[in-house]
Amino acid sequence: MHSPTIFSHGASLTQSANATSLIDHGWVALTSGTQWQIALQMGTFLFAWHHLIFFSAYLPYFLFNKFKLFEQYKLQPGKEPSPTLWWSCFWHMVREQCLLHFPLMVSFRGSVAEMGMRWTLPLPSWSEIIPALLFCLVVEDFFAYWLHRALHWGPLYKYIHKVHHTYTAPFGLVAEYGHPAETLLLGIGFTTGPLLWSKYVGMHVFTMILWVAVRLLTTMETHCGYDMPWGLNNLIPFWGGAPFHDHHHRVFNGNYGGSFRFWDWAMGTDKRFREEARIKSSKVSKLEKEE
């Protein structure tokens, strides 16, 4: 007995008729078929999308490090992962992606259906997408802050979060280096924002796919190991970015926020970071006066 289609034959034809761009036609192809076909199609697409975004974001920093470019912006100069550690991180990530992430991505179709997300054309406009993404970012950051603090508690740190802290000088791949249990826990924060927005405002699955890209780009920036002039922390005052999280990896405590700094500021868990920043700024000012 065949699984029912997400769209009836007539609905699929209507979808195709409403497609006005290459993206629209691709979307119709991706979301047509039996439930199992759609689950596999969407899961495979998400797996490819995830890796395209992740490694595209990582490539510049990999090249910076390999060819010693922009060394003046490197947060922990001279601290490079050995080839053994780099490959250990890489294969750990590949293993987790294949054994954990891919099955979750195949279940994505059923999950978003339960959330009540819209699949059909037209695709959402940027005026719909941007507020939803900002909301998801704020909700995820709130969850990540408190989860991160909890993961630094005795047994949770020893048996789960310590894996991520293997690297005291982060580089891009470390963004996805962690215990499977931590990955699943972080997934709760990742999906809570979309769940709430879908329930009370309405969200298209296309927006959820863009949310995947946003989180990959922000976590890559956080773990890149470089304080680049164009980094969001140098453009948005309350953004944490690489310097903020790099400090956390270096000293192990404080700076628990994922994207923003305001929860650490409100709870006083960024005091050491702010004090070090003040001392550094004071030294720079003194040198400038001497010159």
Side-chain angles (χ1 to χ4, degrees):
M1 181 176 175
H2 292 292
S3 299
T5 56
I6 192 167
F7 301 126
S8 66
H9 181 64
S12 295
L13 290 175
T14 302
Q15 282 284 100
S16 296
N18 290 337
T20 58
S21 68
L22 186 62
I23 295 178
D24 286 349
H25 285 289
W27 186 257
V28 172
L30 188 63
T31 58
S32 297
T34 66
Q35 291 183 5
W36 284 109
Q37 286 173 335
I38 296 166
L40 190 57
Q41 287 164 189
M42 184 62 78
T44 303
F45 170 79
L46 285 171
F47 193 74
W49 174 250
H50 181 111
H51 287 85
L52 174 65
I53 299 298
F54 185 82
F55 284 106
S56 295
Y58 175 52
L59 181 60
Y61 300 110
F62 174 79
L63 295 175
F64 294 166
N65 188 63
K66 183 174 180 60
F67 297 106
K68 305 303 177 186
L69 305 173
F70 300 107
E71 286 292 284
Q72 68 272 35
Y73 300 122
K74 195 169 178 61
L75 289 162
Q76 297 192 52
K79 291 190 177 181
E80 313 292 343
S82 67
T84 300
L85 280 176
W86 191 94
W87 282 108
S88 173
C89 184
F90 176 80
W91 288 117
H92 174 98
M93 189 191 73
V94 169
R95 184 170 62 250
E96 188 167 299
Q97 288 291 326
C98 293
L99 299 179
L100 180 61
H101 287 226
F102 184 67
L104 290 173
M105 290 171 182
V106 171
S107 71
F108 176 80
R109 178 246 174 267
S111 300
V112 295
E114 289 297 319
M115 290 183 188
M117 289 190 186
R118 185 167 62 87
W119 286 80
T120 56
L121 294 177
L123 296 177
S125 64
W126 285 110
S127 62
E128 297 174 77
I129 292 170
I130 292 174
L133 294 181
L134 291 174
F135 176 80
C136 291
L137 198 59
V138 170
V139 171
E140 194 276 340
D141 183 73
F142 171 79
F143 182 88
Y145 174 83
W146 291 104
L147 173 63
H148 197 177
R149 283 194 69 171
L151 287 173
H152 274 263
W153 171 70
L156 292 181
Y157 180 82
K158 181 178 180 180
Y159 295 109
I160 298 177
H161 192 52
K162 189 176 181 180
V163 175
H164 183 66
H165 274 278
T166 300
Y167 300 89
T168 57
F171 58 98
L173 292 184
V174 176
E176 297 211 328
Y177 185 85
H179 193 285
E182 182 171 351
T183 300
L184 292 172
L185 289 169
L186 288 169
I188 298 172
F190 174 80
T191 55
T192 298
L195 177 64
L196 293 173
W197 193 267
S198 181
K199 180 176 177 62
Y200 295 106
V201 180
M203 180 181 280
H204 197 284
V205 176
F206 187 78
T207 303
M208 183 71 173
I209 291 172
L210 293 180
W211 169 228
V212 171
V214 168
R215 278 304 293 131
L216 287 170
L217 291 172
T218 55
T219 195
M220 176 58 67
E221 185 205 24
T222 298
H223 292 89
C224 71
Y226 289 84
D227 183 13
M228 306 305 289
W230 55 82
L232 291 178
N233 57 290
N234 292 314
L235 303 174
I236 303 173
F238 48 83
W239 191 265
F244 196 70
H245 193 67
D246 196 272
H247 181 273
H248 173 79
H249 273 264
R250 181 165 56 84
V251 305
F252 290 98
N253 289 301
N255 292 18
Y256 299 110
S259 299
F260 303 108
R261 292 174 53 182
F262 43 72
W263 284 110
D264 281 284
W265 172 80
M267 304 307 297
T269 48
D270 66 344
K271 288 181 179 178
R272 181 170 175 178
F273 175 77
R274 285 189 284 120
E275 179 61 19
E276 287 187 12
R278 185 191 65 77
I279 293 171
K280 183 179 178 180
S281 177
S282 177
K283 287 181 179 179
V284 170
S285 298
K286 185 177 179 180
L287 286 172
E288 288 175 348
K289 288 179 180 178
E290 290 175 354
E291 291 177 357

